Amino acid sequence: MTTVNPRIDAAIESILDNYGRAAGIFDPNRLEVWEELGLTMSQLRVLYLLLAAPGTPAGAVATQLKVRPSTATGIIDRLVDKQKLVRRERDDLDRRRVRIYLTERGHKVITEMDARRRAVIWRIFRNFSEQDLDDIDRTFTLLTSEAERQGLLAPWPPDPEVM
């Protein structure tokens, strides 16, 4: 990396350090649930995708994960057969299309992970002022907007019209 502005470079390095420390606050709760269920990151991404866009076609799952359709099929197979977290259904209008949905158990797993994560976040953030919270929200909005603009982060939630 080329140094353009030493103050900006120092600020970015500080952000990287603090981000790493902050991730350490939230990750243990999520990792606990992942480990209990034997979930991979790709499987978890599928669960969150289906939460945001129920009935996503299998091909669109592959596109969202940026993997080959056969890889997505393997991920979905494990979520269907081993963990019983998702189910497949044929599309009523196009029988060639298979749509993927969370099962009741899948919803419960996501809800539990989300509840653990949210409890930690609430515990920390409830002590901040309104101005601090507005600043944090603005920062995350800037971060995610720029990542989307650069194509590093898919818009969320996924556009159901594309699915």
Side-chain angles (χ1 to χ4, degrees):
M1 282 182 262
T2 308
T3 300
V4 175
N5 179 327
R7 288 183 62 192
I8 288 177
D9 293 350
I12 292 171
E13 285 300 324
S14 179
I15 290 167
L16 287 169
D17 291 344
N18 284 313
Y19 171 79
R21 293 184 69 216
I25 297 167
F26 307 114
D27 285 348
N29 292 312
R30 289 187 306 181
L31 294 174
E32 246 176 55
V33 176
W34 298 354
E35 191 173 303
E36 287 169 15
L37 295 169
L39 292 174
T40 66
M41 178 63 81
S42 294
Q43 290 170 333
L44 190 66
R45 289 179 61 205
V46 169
L47 296 178
Y48 276 104
L49 169 63
L50 296 176
L51 181 67
T56 298
V61 170
T63 301
Q64 284 287 324
L65 294 180
K66 296 181 177 137
V67 298
R68 295 171 49 194
S70 60
T71 301
T73 298
I75 293 166
I76 294 166
D77 284 347
R78 286 185 290 282
L79 288 169
V80 169
D81 299 332
K82 289 185 179 178
Q83 280 104 349
K84 310 282 189 235
L85 298 174
V86 304
R87 71 180 194 285
R88 291 182 173 95
E89 285 185 21
R90 292 263 176 221
D91 188 307
D92 290 337
L93 301 175
D94 181 352
R95 301 296 291 162
R96 296 169 297 174
R97 182 174 269 191
V98 176
R99 295 191 173 273
I100 315 299
Y101 295 89
L102 289 175
T103 62
E104 186 177 327
R105 181 170 188 261
H107 276 284
K108 285 181 184 176
V109 164
I110 292 292
T111 301
E112 180 183 338
M113 280 191 298
D114 206 41
R116 289 183 187 188
R117 179 184 59 84
R118 293 174 71 83
V120 171
I121 292 170
W122 272 92
R123 180 177 167 195
I124 293 168
F125 287 166
R126 87 168 25 111
N127 293 318
F128 288 121
S129 69
E130 268 186 63
Q131 182 61 54
D132 289 340
L133 294 171
D134 287 343
D135 291 345
I136 292 166
D137 185 50
R138 181 175 174 276
T139 299
F140 278 108
T141 299
L142 285 169
L143 175 67
T144 55
S145 294
E146 181 60 17
E148 285 177 5
R149 188 188 71 72
Q150 291 187 27
L152 300 172
L153 180 66
W156 197 258
D159 183 354
E161 295 301 316
V162 175
M163 304 286 174

